[in-house]
mmCIF file of all heavy atoms in Angstrom:
data_model
loop_
_atom_site.group_PDB
_atom_site.id
_atom_site.type_symbol
_atom_site.label_atom_id
_atom_site.label_comp_id
_atom_site.label_asym_id
_atom_site.label_seq_id
_atom_site.Cartn_x
_atom_site.Cartn_y
_atom_site.Cartn_z
ATOM 1 N N GLY F 247 -9.717 203.918 40.462
ATOM 2 C CA GLY F 247 -8.734 202.886 40.292
ATOM 3 C C GLY F 247 -8.685 202.426 38.827
ATOM 4 O O GLY F 247 -8.491 203.205 37.955
ATOM 5 N N LYS F 248 -9.033 201.172 38.599
ATOM 6 C CA LYS F 248 -9.035 200.680 37.273
ATOM 7 C C LYS F 248 -10.405 200.751 36.633
ATOM 8 O O LYS F 248 -10.570 200.474 35.394
ATOM 9 C CB LYS F 248 -8.488 199.215 37.242
ATOM 10 C CG LYS F 248 -7.076 199.072 37.680
ATOM 11 C CD LYS F 248 -6.608 197.644 37.453
ATOM 12 C CE LYS F 248 -5.182 197.389 37.945
ATOM 13 N NZ LYS F 248 -4.171 198.286 37.296
ATOM 14 N N GLU F 249 -11.449 201.071 37.483
ATOM 15 C CA GLU F 249 -12.773 201.193 36.904
ATOM 16 C C GLU F 249 -12.903 202.584 36.284
ATOM 17 O O GLU F 249 -12.518 203.605 36.865
ATOM 18 C CB GLU F 249 -13.759 201.199 38.058
ATOM 19 C CG GLU F 249 -13.878 199.786 38.678
ATOM 20 C CD GLU F 249 -14.633 198.786 37.754
ATOM 21 O OE1 GLU F 249 -15.383 199.218 36.825
ATOM 22 O OE2 GLU F 249 -14.493 197.506 37.993
ATOM 23 N N ILE F 250 -13.362 202.606 35.026
ATOM 24 C CA ILE F 250 -13.599 203.918 34.388
ATOM 25 C C ILE F 250 -14.981 203.991 33.792
ATOM 26 O O ILE F 250 -15.597 202.999 33.408
ATOM 27 C CB ILE F 250 -12.554 204.315 33.344
ATOM 28 C CG1 ILE F 250 -12.770 203.410 32.056
ATOM 29 C CG2 ILE F 250 -11.126 204.062 33.882
ATOM 30 C CD1 ILE F 250 -12.014 203.990 30.909
ATOM 31 N N GLU F 251 -15.502 205.148 33.700
ATOM 32 C CA GLU F 251 -16.762 205.388 33.145
ATOM 33 C C GLU F 251 -16.816 206.657 32.329
ATOM 34 O O GLU F 251 -16.377 207.730 32.711
ATOM 35 C CB GLU F 251 -17.937 205.429 34.220
ATOM 36 C CG GLU F 251 -19.307 205.780 33.628
ATOM 37 C CD GLU F 251 -20.369 205.765 34.797
ATOM 38 O OE1 GLU F 251 -20.019 205.675 35.912
ATOM 39 O OE2 GLU F 251 -21.549 205.812 34.333
ATOM 40 N N PHE F 252 -17.271 206.511 31.098
ATOM 41 C CA PHE F 252 -17.342 207.688 30.201
ATOM 42 C C PHE F 252 -18.470 208.537 30.629
ATOM 43 O O PHE F 252 -19.586 208.068 30.868
ATOM 44 C CB PHE F 252 -17.574 207.257 28.729
ATOM 45 C CG PHE F 252 -16.452 206.483 28.190
ATOM 46 C CD1 PHE F 252 -16.640 205.656 27.042
ATOM 47 C CD2 PHE F 252 -15.193 206.593 28.680
ATOM 48 C CE1 PHE F 252 -15.538 204.968 26.489
ATOM 49 C CE2 PHE F 252 -14.111 205.972 28.113
ATOM 50 C CZ PHE F 252 -14.270 205.087 26.971
ATOM 51 N N LEU F 253 -18.217 209.842 30.854
ATOM 52 C CA LEU F 253 -19.323 210.751 31.179
ATOM 53 C C LEU F 253 -19.651 211.663 29.982
ATOM 54 O O LEU F 253 -20.735 212.258 29.864
ATOM 55 C CB LEU F 253 -18.843 211.618 32.378
ATOM 56 C CG LEU F 253 -18.596 210.843 33.691
ATOM 57 C CD1 LEU F 253 -18.174 211.807 34.754
ATOM 58 C CD2 LEU F 253 -19.864 210.073 34.034
ATOM 59 N N ASP F 254 -18.712 211.838 29.116
ATOM 60 C CA ASP F 254 -18.978 212.772 27.925
ATOM 61 C C ASP F 254 -18.307 212.125 26.727
ATOM 62 O O ASP F 254 -17.248 212.527 26.248
ATOM 63 C CB ASP F 254 -18.363 214.116 28.256
ATOM 64 C CG ASP F 254 -18.868 215.144 27.157
ATOM 65 O OD1 ASP F 254 -19.395 214.711 26.133
ATOM 66 O OD2 ASP F 254 -18.722 216.383 27.485
ATOM 67 N N LEU F 255 -18.976 211.101 26.214
ATOM 68 C CA LEU F 255 -18.465 210.369 25.044
ATOM 69 C C LEU F 255 -18.204 211.312 23.870
ATOM 70 O O LEU F 255 -17.124 211.240 23.260
ATOM 71 C CB LEU F 255 -19.511 209.308 24.670
ATOM 72 C CG LEU F 255 -18.951 208.195 23.794
ATOM 73 C CD1 LEU F 255 -17.834 207.424 24.502
ATOM 74 C CD2 LEU F 255 -20.053 207.199 23.452
ATOM 75 N N PRO F 256 -19.155 212.163 23.495
ATOM 76 C CA PRO F 256 -18.963 213.053 22.341
ATOM 77 C C PRO F 256 -17.652 213.831 22.473
ATOM 78 O O PRO F 256 -16.851 213.993 21.468
ATOM 79 C CB PRO F 256 -20.133 213.976 22.324
ATOM 80 C CG PRO F 256 -21.173 213.216 22.958
ATOM 81 C CD PRO F 256 -20.492 212.452 24.064
ATOM 82 N N ALA F 257 -17.355 214.390 23.672
ATOM 83 C CA ALA F 257 -16.120 215.173 23.851
ATOM 84 C C ALA F 257 -14.891 214.308 23.717
ATOM 85 O O ALA F 257 -13.883 214.788 23.079
ATOM 86 C CB ALA F 257 -16.149 215.799 25.264
ATOM 87 N N LEU F 258 -14.952 213.074 24.112
ATOM 88 C CA LEU F 258 -13.826 212.217 23.996
ATOM 89 C C LEU F 258 -13.577 211.919 22.518
ATOM 90 O O LEU F 258 -12.442 211.934 22.009
ATOM 91 C CB LEU F 258 -14.124 210.842 24.724
ATOM 92 C CG LEU F 258 -13.738 210.859 26.243
ATOM 93 C CD1 LEU F 258 -14.223 209.577 26.865
ATOM 94 C CD2 LEU F 258 -12.267 211.021 26.421
ATOM 95 N N GLN F 259 -14.695 211.683 21.795
ATOM 96 C CA GLN F 259 -14.546 211.408 20.417
ATOM 97 C C GLN F 259 -14.067 212.599 19.615
ATOM 98 O O GLN F 259 -13.243 212.424 18.681
ATOM 99 C CB GLN F 259 -15.947 210.928 19.810
ATOM 100 C CG GLN F 259 -16.254 209.447 20.166
ATOM 101 C CD GLN F 259 -17.649 209.075 19.987
ATOM 102 O OE1 GLN F 259 -18.495 210.010 19.926
ATOM 103 N NE2 GLN F 259 -17.970 207.767 19.837
ATOM 104 N N ALA F 260 -14.483 213.776 20.101
ATOM 105 C CA ALA F 260 -14.003 215.007 19.406
ATOM 106 C C ALA F 260 -12.486 215.162 19.624
ATOM 107 O O ALA F 260 -11.763 215.511 18.669
ATOM 108 C CB ALA F 260 -14.698 216.212 20.086
ATOM 109 N N LEU F 261 -11.988 214.784 20.773
ATOM 110 C CA LEU F 261 -10.564 214.771 21.066
ATOM 111 C C LEU F 261 -9.752 213.947 19.946
ATOM 112 O O LEU F 261 -8.739 214.363 19.445
ATOM 113 C CB LEU F 261 -10.276 214.214 22.433
ATOM 114 C CG LEU F 261 -9.876 215.125 23.586
ATOM 115 C CD1 LEU F 261 -9.550 214.396 24.846
ATOM 116 C CD2 LEU F 261 -8.716 215.983 23.116
ATOM 117 N N THR F 262 -10.421 212.795 19.780
ATOM 118 C CA THR F 262 -9.867 211.838 18.797
ATOM 119 C C THR F 262 -9.579 212.379 17.403
ATOM 120 O O THR F 262 -8.648 212.148 16.747
ATOM 121 C CB THR F 262 -10.785 210.612 18.612
ATOM 122 O OG1 THR F 262 -10.730 209.836 19.840
ATOM 123 C CG2 THR F 262 -10.557 209.761 17.475
ATOM 124 N N GLU F 263 -10.567 213.266 17.051
ATOM 125 C CA GLU F 263 -10.515 213.805 15.661
ATOM 126 C C GLU F 263 -9.522 214.999 15.559
ATOM 127 O O GLU F 263 -9.815 215.865 14.740
ATOM 128 C CB GLU F 263 -11.877 214.184 15.201
ATOM 129 C CG GLU F 263 -12.788 212.973 14.944
ATOM 130 C CD GLU F 263 -14.218 213.230 15.275
ATOM 131 O OE1 GLU F 263 -14.593 214.428 15.413
ATOM 132 O OE2 GLU F 263 -14.953 212.248 15.442
ATOM 133 N N SER F 264 -8.503 214.966 16.343
ATOM 134 C CA SER F 264 -7.449 216.024 16.209
ATOM 135 C C SER F 264 -7.998 217.411 16.302
ATOM 136 O O SER F 264 -7.847 218.197 15.312
ATOM 137 C CB SER F 264 -6.560 215.812 15.014
ATOM 138 O OG SER F 264 -7.215 216.308 13.874
#
Side-chain angles (χ1 to χ4, degrees):
Chain F
K248 294 188 185 300
E249 292 285 341
I250 73 166
E251 178 174 8
F252 294 157
L253 297 179
D254 191 346
L255 198 61
L258 276 171
Q259 283 165 337
L261 254 184
T262 286
E263 288 146 16
S264 82

